Amino acid sequence: MGQAWGFGRYGGPEVQEFFDRPDPAPGRGEVLIRVAAAGVNPLDHLLRSGLVDGLDGGRPFPRVLGMEAAGTVLARGEDVSGLEVGDAVFGFALTGGGTYAETTVLSAPNTARIPEGLSPTVAATLPVAGTTAVDALDQLGLPAGATVLVNGVGGGVGLAVARLAIGRELRVVGTGSTAKREYAEAIGVRFIDYTAEDVAAAARELVPGGFDGIVDLVGGTSLRTVAPLARHPREVIAVGDVTVPDLGGRLVERRIDRENLERSARLALDGVLAPVVTAVHPLSDAPAALATVETGHAPGKVVIEVA
Ligand SMILES: NC(=O)c1ccc[n+]([C@@H]2O[C@H](COP(=O)([O-])OP(=O)(O)OC[C@H]3O[C@@H](n4cnc5c(N)ncnc54)[C@H](OP(=O)(O)O)[C@@H]3O)[C@@H](O)[C@H]2O)c1
């Protein structure tokens, strides 16, 4: 039995609640873990709102929030390979376990061991933001010296993309609101404040020939403003806006398997990937953690530390 934080029906923050739940039994291909840390993502409140029903396994209410976690394996279901009881691991809770909790189940093929030297708090941010950053930049496949625009650079995925791009010796320009400038410039990004500047004009001044690639984390009209700044429409990769093919661009192709998680962890250990963690909350403070992300303007990654 452990404490968990979730929702009893679809809705806004008012449907959220703490409750006790028995440790979930790991099914085939799952491991039960004691959660050390859980990453907080925009998808979490979208699932609570019922806007993307089905992604969390369609389990009965109350459902526990959270898609990603790091922790220690307590038990294995059938058909689990490469993970043992006692291992420190990180990965995805795909089948509805929810990770804002003292214990949860992770999908074993989408879970990897945490390498020595990497904290569970950082590892908990890698399944969603870390691997998304890797996938977006892999898909662009830009050589060293190329220029990339990261639209929405100050968020969880944006700062991870920027760090990784700089690690690959790309020149990075990023957009965000005023408060994001310090985070972006601290890692070497040329920053455009979309609340104070004309983004297209400022970007053209910085990179007159157009960008070799664009990674968009914002979508909507903001995506439509920046997409024409790419030298070729195909080099626009959107992470959230599914309408990007209408502009000639591509939606990120996600790889959430163990191999990509292990690769992300190695890159984090090398100091070229780890998403920037800007706030750590205890589980009792989970409402504040998700409220920060739900504003749509959280800086970097917000993490809930459980144990
Ligand atoms: N496909 C996938 O597997 C996948 C994986 C991860 C995330 N996503 C999606 O990708 C999106 C980003 O995720 P995230 O975790 O990075 O979210 P996040 O942490 O909330 O970051 C979004 C950032 O965009 C900034 N922003 C908002 N409006 C902007 C604008 N007009 N111009 C520039 N920046 C703007 C926000 O702050 P400021 O406005 O204050 O700068 C914020 O820092 C979300 O929609 C998420 O659901 C998809």
Side-chain angles (χ1 to χ4, degrees):
M1 183 73 80
Q3 198 177 46
W5 191 64
F7 51 104
R9 59 191 160 86
Y10 292 129
E14 72 283 353
V15 303
Q16 295 166 173
E17 61 186 13
F18 283 102
F19 54 93
D20 290 324
R21 73 165 173 182
D23 293 341
R28 185 180 290 271
E30 291 181 334
V31 288
L32 171 70
I33 68 160
R34 177 162 305 290
V35 178
V40 181
N41 292 289
L43 185 57
D44 302 344
H45 63 78
L46 294 176
L47 284 165
R48 184 209 63 217
S49 304
L51 296 174
V52 282
D53 192 17
L55 266 183
D56 58 351
R59 289 196 176 183
F61 295 116
R63 295 186 193 164
V64 179
L65 282 150
M67 298 288 292
E68 61 182 349
T72 307
V73 176
L74 296 176
R76 296 156 24 117
E78 287 173 45
D79 289 340
V80 170
S81 61
L83 303 175
E84 304 296 335
V85 171
D87 282 351
V89 299
F90 68 110
F92 288 93
L94 295 180
T95 45
T99 57
Y100 298 5
E102 290 181 65
T103 58
T104 193
V105 286
L106 300 181
S107 164
N110 311 96
T111 295
R113 288 200 177 104
I114 302 176
E116 204 161 316
L118 197 65
S119 74
T121 301
V122 169
T125 68
L126 294 176
V128 177
T131 63
T132 301
V134 170
D135 291 342
L137 285 178
D138 279 358
Q139 230 169 307
L140 280 177
L142 298 174
T147 53
V148 65
L149 177 68
V150 184
N151 194 38
V153 74
V157 180
L159 286 172
V161 170
R163 263 193 170 170
L164 188 58
I166 288 165
R168 293 183 181 185
E169 298 179 39
L170 306 183
R171 290 169 52 211
V172 181
V173 176
T175 65
S177 68
T178 312
K180 305 304 186 303
R181 178 181 293 277
E182 61 175 303
Y183 296 103
E185 290 185 343
I187 60 171
V189 173
R190 295 288 301 270
F191 186 75
I192 298 173
D193 181 344
Y194 73 86
T195 68
E197 299 170 76
D198 178 323
V199 169
R204 284 202 183 93
E205 201 177 317
L206 284 173
V207 185
F211 289 87
D212 299 306
I214 294 179
V215 179
D216 172 76
L217 293 325
V218 183
T221 53
S222 176
L223 167 61
R224 278 152 179 79
T225 300
V226 299
L229 298 168
R231 283 150 68 99
H232 194 287
R234 194 172 151 70
E235 304 314 330
V236 178
I237 305 284
V239 164
D241 190 329
V242 296
T243 68
V244 67
D246 299 346
L247 305 171
R250 294 173 282 166
L251 196 61
V252 68
E253 281 169 26
R254 297 288 285 115
R255 278 192 52 214
I256 61 170
D257 53 277
R258 185 178 296 168
E259 193 186 336
N260 214 23
L261 288 166
E262 288 171 344
R263 187 164 155 232
S264 303
R266 279 196 302 277
L267 290 166
L269 266 183
D270 291 345
V272 292
L273 172 63
V276 177
V277 176
T278 59
V280 176
H281 296 261
L283 181 59
S284 58
D285 213 13
L290 186 57
T292 304
V293 171
E294 197 160 358
T295 64
H297 302 282
K301 284 297 303 181
V302 175
V303 176
I304 294 170
E305 278 183 356
V306 180

